[in-house]
Every structure is written in structure tokens, then in C-alpha cells.
Amino acid sequence: GNIAISQLNPGTLLPAVGVELPKPASSNVLKSLTGGFDLAGTDNSLQLSKINLKLDDSSLQGEAGISSFKNMASRFALTIDSINLDHYMPAPQAAQSKEKTNTPNTSSEALLLPVAALRELNTNGRLRIGKLMASGHQIDNFDASVVSANGFINLKNLTGNLYGGSLVATASIDARSNTPQISFNNRVSNIQASPLLTALADVDYLDGKMNLQVNGTAFGNTLTAIKNTLSGEADFKVTDGILKNTNIEQLVCKSIARIRDRQYVVTEQQPDTHFKEFNGHMNIVKGVMNTDRLLVALNNMQVTGTGIINLPQDSLDFGIRAKIMGDL
């Protein structure tokens, strides 16, 4: 048969049929659903085809279904023109209230993955989104394919464009044992460093085109366990960049003048450091990130360094060396 929806209000309908939803971050969502789809099924399967729905300002097309009720094997191929997931997330007040209500009085860490639910997940699908907003990040041309069965979830491919560059990622979660294993391999190319770092960590001291390749594995289902078991490696490079609010060359000249008991006069104040390239490589073993190569290439100086970032201990220990060149 065919299901046609002239218009309904999901925010009113769902509570009426027993589905309680937290208050969303935006008051303008879950207001309107229109469209329709074709329906076909047997006593063991259900298929929705010619899906053409519009939820608020987002349009959804494609097909989805359950090929077997016995093992709840689902398949889908869906396309969304644009959606802002942040608008549909629980409002901050609701999220805090729910956390206080549901958090037991225990010192144990919260579990990150619903292992039991992941073991029941049996799906094969692809999702494409023209414009996706999530956690403050905008990703264009989002395309992800996932396969999961018997507790093994494989993100076969995830691609997208963000901050002027591109993202390619694969990942997997092995939840077949009580200690999940997480593996990932991510690559970003020609990303604008400043807006990315600002969105991720509210840090705005570096700008330029960034390339990053990181892969690794971790075991466990808590943040502490993942920190203690994270292993892999990372390569990064920033070209034609700026280190904001710090001028390394003037800092070195001022220090040398002080050592020689001479006065240092700045002929032209330059608050930032412009560099040709900033790159490095890290080996990660059990949460300890060993940087065996760090290089900042300036016009009149070369800065190198090595050091360790210890995630389990939240500590950093770096040695930096500067080599003056040219007529500085």
C-alpha cells in the first residue's frame, strides 16, 4: 500500500502514543511532517520504498526496511538535503536535569557504549546528507556507509567537506566481548586550522592549511580505559600558517639581548609568527604520545623539538630547540 501524510505535528503526536521526548534545543523543530512512502511486507519482512518525507526544513528520500524480523536485519539507503542535529538534541537544561535524575550515586565511570544494544544491531546501509550541522561543525556532502552484525560494527567509509577541506574516515567497534575494541583511521586534508581548533577546543592561536593522518586502536568502555590503551600514530602538517599572539623571532632576539646585557629595540612590532611549515609525527603507545619529530620552519629560524604527551597522567614534557639562520 501507500502511506500519505498531508501534515502532522510530531511533537504532539509522539507523546500521545507514549513516546516521551526531551525538550529539543530549538523550539522550531518537530513541528511539521509531510510526504509519504510505499509499503510492502510479509509475515517476516517490511520494506519502505519511494520514501519522500519532509520533517520541518529537512527533506528525506530513499528506501529502508527489515529483511528479517527473526534477526531484525535492516537495510537502508537514505538521502537528506540538509539537517541541523544540534537543534534536535536535548536542551541544556533538560540534559542537565536528566543527568541528575538518572545518575546513580557511584564513583564508577559512565559507560560510553551500549554494548548489549550493539550486539543486537544487524544493519547494512548508506546515509548521504548534503549539509549536516552537528556539535557546531558544518559538514557538506556527508556520505557514510555502515555494516554491523553480531556485535561488530564497521564504518566502511565516511567522507565529507568541512572548513575548506575534506575528511575521509573508517572505523570499527568490536563489541563481541565485554571489553570493546575501537579502531579508526582518519585523514583530513587542507582544513582551515583556526575554525577547526576553535570549534573543537575553543583554541584560537594557530591558522593555516592543515593535513592530519591519525590511526589507532583502543580497548575498554570508559574514558579512562581508552586513554590507558590508546595506541597508533599520527602525522600532521600545517602550511603557510600563523602562530597568533606570539612572535618567536622577536622573542629569541629579546632573550639574546638580555643575556648579552644589551637593549633590544623592535623596529617593527609584529605580534604574530608567520611560518612556512609546521609538521610533526607521533607514536602512541598505551596513551603515551611520543613526538619524535616536531619542526617549525620560519624565514630566519628553524624550530625543532621532541617530547611526550601522557594522556593517562594529563601531562606534557617537551624540549624545544631553535636554530638561527640568515641575517636575523
Side-chain angles (χ1 to χ4, degrees):
N2 174 266
I3 301 294
I5 304 170
S6 57
Q7 185 170 11
L8 61 82
N9 187 323
T12 302
L13 172 66
L14 293 175
V17 296
V19 180
E20 292 295 334
L21 297 175
K23 182 180 178 181
S26 173
S27 60
N28 297 321
V29 299
L30 296 178
K31 296 293 186 182
S32 173
L33 177 65
T34 60
F37 50 85
D38 287 346
L39 175 72
T42 68
D43 58 354
N44 190 45
S45 65
L46 177 67
Q47 181 67 27
L48 307 182
S49 60
K50 298 181 181 179
I51 297 174
N52 190 359
L53 297 171
K54 185 169 184 178
L55 173 63
D56 300 322
D57 295 326
S58 301
S59 297
L60 170 68
Q61 296 179 328
E63 58 184 19
I66 299 175
S67 57
S68 172
F69 290 141
K70 183 177 181 180
N71 57 13
M72 292 305 292
S74 61
R75 304 290 182 268
F76 64 87
L78 300 170
T79 300
I80 301 174
D81 60 350
S82 66
I83 188 170
N84 190 328
L85 293 182
D86 293 338
H87 289 170
Y88 292 88
M89 297 300 291
Q93 298 87 347
Q96 293 174 5
S97 175
K98 184 177 180 181
E99 183 178 350
K100 291 179 180 178
T101 303
N102 295 341
T103 301
N105 293 325
T106 175
S107 59
S108 62
E109 274 194 277
L111 299 180
L112 301 176
L113 300 172
V115 174
L118 292 179
R119 290 173 183 166
E120 299 296 325
L121 191 62
N122 187 342
T123 190
N124 187 333
R126 181 181 183 185
L127 175 63
R128 289 178 285 184
I129 304 176
K131 178 181 176 181
L132 169 66
M133 285 293 297
S135 301
H137 305 285
Q138 178 177 322
I139 304 177
D140 297 322
N141 303 315
F142 177 90
D143 191 342
S145 298
V146 62
V147 176
S148 67
N150 303 317
F152 187 82
I153 299 91
N154 184 17
L155 180 63
K156 296 172 58 178
N157 191 48
L158 187 155
T159 60
N161 302 109
L162 71 164
Y163 301 117
S166 61
L167 163 69
V168 178
T170 59
S172 66
I173 300 174
D174 189 346
R176 290 173 290 188
S177 68
N178 293 329
T179 304
Q181 176 180 340
I182 303 169
S183 301
F184 57 90
N185 190 331
N186 304 330
R187 184 177 76 251
V188 295
S189 304
N190 297 318
I191 299 286
Q192 287 289 346
S194 182
L196 175 65
L197 293 174
T198 300
L200 286 176
D202 198 23
V203 169
D204 186 20
Y205 61 81
L206 183 68
D207 200 4
K209 290 281 189 177
M210 181 169 68
N211 293 274
L212 171 67
Q213 173 83 41
V214 56
N215 62 79
T217 59
F219 297 85
N221 201 9
T222 64
L223 187 58
T224 297
I226 290 176
K227 280 184 176 182
N228 290 335
T229 60
L230 179 63
S231 296
E233 63 178 336
D235 275 286
F236 66 89
K237 180 170 70 172
V238 182
T239 56
D240 298 324
I242 299 175
L243 184 63
K244 300 179 182 180
N245 302 319
T246 300
N247 190 305
I248 295 179
E249 291 183 353
Q250 290 183 0
L251 181 63
V252 171
C253 289
K254 185 177 180 180
S255 301
I256 293 175
R258 182 176 300 172
I259 293 171
R260 294 179 175 177
D261 197 21
R262 295 173 58 182
Q263 185 179 4
Y264 171 59
V265 179
V266 180
T267 57
E268 183 179 358
Q269 186 66 40
Q270 293 289 343
D272 304 323
T273 298
H274 294 258
F275 57 85
K276 301 175 182 178
E277 186 174 317
F278 173 28
N279 66 67
H281 175 266
M282 292 182 177
N283 285 310
I284 311 167
V285 179
K286 295 184 178 180
V288 178
M289 307 171 71
N290 187 352
T291 304
D292 52 16
R293 173 175 54 80
L294 184 70
L295 169 67
V296 184
L298 311 177
N299 289 328
N300 296 306
M301 186 180 302
Q302 187 178 75
V303 180
T304 60
T306 57
I308 289 175
I309 300 174
N310 192 315
L311 296 179
Q313 296 181 7
D314 289 327
S315 65
L316 178 146
D317 184 6
F318 261 83
I320 304 295
R321 292 167 298 281
K323 180 180 179 180
I324 300 174
M325 302 179 297
D327 58 354
L328 180 65

